[in-house]
Amino acid sequence: MTDELPPILEAKDITKTLGSGAAEVKALKGVNFDLVPGELTLLMGPSGSGKTTLLSILGCILSPTSGSLRIAGLSTAGLDAEGMANLRRQHVGFVFQAYNLVPTLTALENVMLALDLRGAARGDAPDLAAEALAAVKLSHRESASPSKLSGGEKQRVAIARALAGSPSVILADEPTAALDAENGMAVMELLAEVAKDTKRGVLAVTHDHRTLEYADRIIRIEDGRIVGRARRKDDAALTAEGAH
Ligand code: ADP
Ligand code: MG
């Protein structure tokens, strides 16, 4: 506990109402949540419980209806759409279930494109992209197009893309859902490594209990509320509230 770093992301009393009128849904009902650098946190919960909505807010894609968010010490309060986009570009890397790679670009070019969007200097992009692909152990696949990559490799390119540009936090929404068990475990292990080696805060949504072993923390959400938290260190609590 004593060597714990201050949170890289702090969310306080976050609520989010989606839709309007009769279709109104309170997707988040007061969520308090910290992401610690150097740790992989897993977010688990049933379908419709608010996981994607929470990730979208933490990643500055959606604004909360109420509550506050700080990333790397910066508050999102009062930011307009452009301010939110800047914060997102500088500090957040996303990984999605469906990889979302550009099919006409090579693995290296996909990562370079992300660097470009983040505003990295053009001249630095090839080296930074190569570094990110090396970090996910895909240097040998730099010039492969997505159609030549396996699902696991595609997701590793997507993780490299999220890593490139050194964001403070990486948010992964069901990154293993489209993968077989073995590749899914490898991706989760990689996310845990990325958190530790680069001292980033990594949050991943998963349904797969086998991936629990890679987690430092587990958070369980139901019906827009956090209903369980556990740390890896106290396995009893993890089993009691996090892992069912
Ligand atoms: P999860 O990712 O845990 O499956 P979501 O965050 O996607 O859950 O959804 C949370 C709740 O918000 C669900 O009840 C869902 O139906 C609702 N919801 C999601 N997106 C919208 C939207 N654009 N408009 C209205 N309701 C939505
Ligand atoms: Mg979802």
Side-chain angles (χ1 to χ4, degrees):
M1 283 297 232
T2 47
D3 57 354
E4 200 167 280
L5 297 165
I8 191 76
L9 180 154
E10 299 169 80
K12 288 205 170 61
D13 299 324
I14 299 281
T15 73
K16 183 66 182 177
T17 305
L18 293 166
S20 58
E24 195 173 280
V25 175
K26 288 195 165 53
L28 298 174
K29 300 175 179 171
V31 169
N32 289 287
F33 173 79
D34 285 350
L35 201 57
V36 180
E39 292 193 352
L40 170 63
T41 300
L42 296 184
L43 178 63
M44 305 186 92
S47 178
S49 57
K51 303 180 298 294
T52 295
T53 306
L54 180 58
L55 251 63
S56 303
I57 289 173
L58 301 181
C60 301
I61 290 175
L62 276 182
S63 294
T65 301
S66 66
S68 68
L69 176 65
R70 292 175 80 84
I71 301 177
L74 301 166
S75 170
T76 62
L79 289 184
D80 59 8
E82 195 188 338
M84 291 279 274
N86 283 335
L87 190 61
R88 178 171 71 240
R89 274 196 291 270
Q90 247 197 306
H91 288 289
V92 184
F94 274 101
V95 178
F96 303 95
Q97 175 180 335
Y99 325 125
N100 297 5
L101 301 179
V102 179
T104 52
L105 301 179
T106 65
L108 190 73
E109 288 164 347
N110 264 282
V111 180
M112 283 170 59
L113 176 65
L115 283 161
D116 196 26
L117 295 175
R118 285 181 192 279
R122 282 275 155 89
D124 295 341
D127 285 348
L128 291 174
E131 240 172 67
L133 280 177
V136 302
K137 300 175 188 74
L138 275 184
S139 294
H140 61 296
R141 302 298 266 147
E142 275 183 11
S143 53
S145 66
S147 64
K148 295 285 189 301
L149 298 171
S150 71
E153 286 176 331
K154 278 189 257 208
Q155 197 55 301
R156 279 153 63 196
V157 174
I159 292 170
R161 181 182 55 187
L163 266 175
S166 299
S168 310
V169 305
I170 292 185
L171 305 173
D173 199 352
E174 308 202 27
T176 66
L179 299 174
D180 60 49
E182 193 182 330
N183 280 300
M185 297 290 267
V187 159
M188 228 21 123
E189 191 176 7
L190 178 60
L191 286 172
E193 249 176 62
V194 160
K196 268 171 206 68
D197 295 352
T198 63
K199 285 276 175 265
R200 296 208 167 89
V202 181
L203 177 66
V205 174
T206 180
H207 293 292
D208 187 348
H209 290 178
R210 287 167 303 186
T211 63
L212 288 176
E213 66 174 286
Y214 299 112
D216 299 294
R217 285 170 201 256
I218 295 162
I219 290 175
R220 186 160 177 88
I221 185 169
E222 276 176 23
D223 194 22
R225 289 194 178 88
I226 290 178
V227 295
R229 298 175 199 260
R231 285 178 61 91
R232 180 76 197 145
K233 280 179 196 155
D234 42 297
D235 273 343
L238 188 153
T239 313
E241 30 172 44
H244 48 72

